[in-house]
Amino acid sequence: MATVETQEKQFFIIEGLPRSGTTILTNIMNSFENGFCFSEPIWQLMQDPYNLKLGKLNNQIWPRSLRPETVIEQLKNVLNDDIYSIGGLKETYRDWQPECVNMVLDSDLQFRIFILRDPRYNFSGWKKSPFGSEYYDVDIFARNYERFCDRIKEKSQVTPTYVIKYENLCKSDDTLSYLSNALGNRFSLTGSLQLKQTGYHYGDARGNSSSLVSAPRESVDNLTSYEVGRCEDIMSLYQNIDEGLCLK
């Protein structure tokens, strides 16, 4: 199993658009023997506060003591346990439901990870998701993609911020080396990566149950020509944000 070596404990958040690869990245971070990453606890508590799935943190935090506004404090208490060197959470960005990401303050964090996916394949994933009418509207998607990229630049001004590109993560022959390089060698990763089921039910079902980092799905067969063109209109946003540390 992979382990993390750090000089001090570090708390982080993973942010991404729906269907951008946040779940598999969460699974990777959860697979470190001395690390954890809770999948969408704030969003879960907002949606279904009495059915919270704790995953790796079972018996380390207690659902009845959790509310959206207390999640960060509770997770940081878990991180203070000697078991862990890094810990964090993943929340998904939607501009029509921003509470779950805005509740995580810059002062709470040692660093942020943003994950980006090629907009064509990202929107194709939206259209395959039975989440609601917003997910079938390419103009809403493009607006969110633009605002999410603005958010990356904004947050990089106040917190160490790293960008991971989903396609490159999934195509890497050595996931740990890729992740270490993308995170600027912020910590040392040793051992072998062995993914386990997360125990979470929020996020992509395949990612939650994955035992491997699989090749990315790169298909637009469910998109219209207008939708492909609209995604290509914002391709420069994807291309112009570099992986790794996002500099001020």
Side-chain angles (χ1 to χ4, degrees), residues 16-224:
L17 294 171
R19 293 297 183 258
S20 65
T22 57
T23 301
I24 193 64
L25 182 55
T26 298
N27 196 345
I28 292 169
M29 301 298 280
N30 248 321
S31 296
F32 299 141
E33 185 175 6
N34 56 338
F36 67 85
C37 187
F38 200 148
S39 179
E40 301 187 72
I42 297 174
W43 182 241
Q44 287 187 62
L45 286 164
M46 289 177 174
Q47 296 296 300
D48 190 3
Y50 302 106
N51 194 31
L52 187 68
K53 302 299 184 184
L54 299 179
K56 190 174 186 177
L57 300 186
N58 193 35
N59 296 322
Q60 296 176 65
I61 55 177
W62 289 268
R64 291 182 181 179
S65 66
L66 283 177
R67 300 185 304 278
E69 61 272 16
T70 67
V71 167
I72 304 304
E73 177 185 2
Q74 295 283 349
L75 292 181
K76 295 186 84 169
N77 286 340
V78 173
L79 179 59
N80 285 332
D81 190 296
D82 289 341
I83 298 173
Y84 299 114
S85 296
I86 64 168
L89 71 161
K90 177 261 281 198
E91 292 290 345
T92 305
Y93 176 84
R94 311 167 188 82
D95 68 2
W96 66 91
Q97 292 165 330
E99 299 91 340
C100 54
V101 293
N102 289 341
M103 203 169 286
V104 184
L105 304 179
D106 298 305
S107 58
D108 291 324
L109 302 166
Q110 274 67 57
F111 64 100
R112 289 178 181 270
I113 304 174
F114 289 95
I115 186 165
L116 275 176
R117 187 173 186 177
D118 182 306
R120 297 167 299 178
Y121 311 134
N122 199 166
F123 181 62
S124 176
W126 277 40
K127 283 195 71 178
K128 290 177 179 289
S129 304
F131 291 154
S133 59
E134 295 92 349
Y135 291 86
Y136 304 104
D137 189 322
V138 70
D139 293 314
I140 291 177
F141 168 78
R143 183 191 73 206
N144 272 262
Y145 205 97
E146 291 167 352
R147 290 180 177 176
F148 184 67
C149 290
D150 287 341
R151 182 175 174 85
I152 295 174
K153 296 173 183 177
E154 172 194 340
K155 292 303 181 182
S156 71
Q157 303 299 306
V158 290
T159 308
T161 295
Y162 300 88
V163 174
I164 286 175
K165 292 191 174 178
Y166 172 72
E167 283 79 14
N168 293 342
L169 170 68
C170 292
K171 291 178 180 178
S172 174
D173 293 331
D174 185 339
T175 303
L176 290 185
S177 293
Y178 168 85
L179 194 61
S180 181
N181 290 333
L183 298 180
N185 297 309
R186 188 171 187 91
F187 36 71
S188 175
L189 302 177
T190 58
S192 59
L193 182 64
Q194 298 176 359
L195 298 186
K196 297 182 178 180
Q197 291 191 4
T198 63
Y200 299 123
H201 67 242
Y202 276 56
D204 180 70
R206 180 184 175 191
N208 277 326
S209 62
S210 180
S211 60
L212 296 171
V213 180
S214 302
R217 184 184 60 80
E218 296 177 314
S219 171
V220 294
D221 57 2
N222 64 327
L223 303 187
T224 67

Side-chain angles (χ1 to χ4, degrees), residues 8-23:
E8 59 183 7
K9 292 178 180 288
Q10 301 189 42
F11 191 72
F12 65 92
I13 184 173
I14 294 170
E15 289 187 42
L17 294 171
R19 293 297 183 258
S20 65
T22 57
T23 301

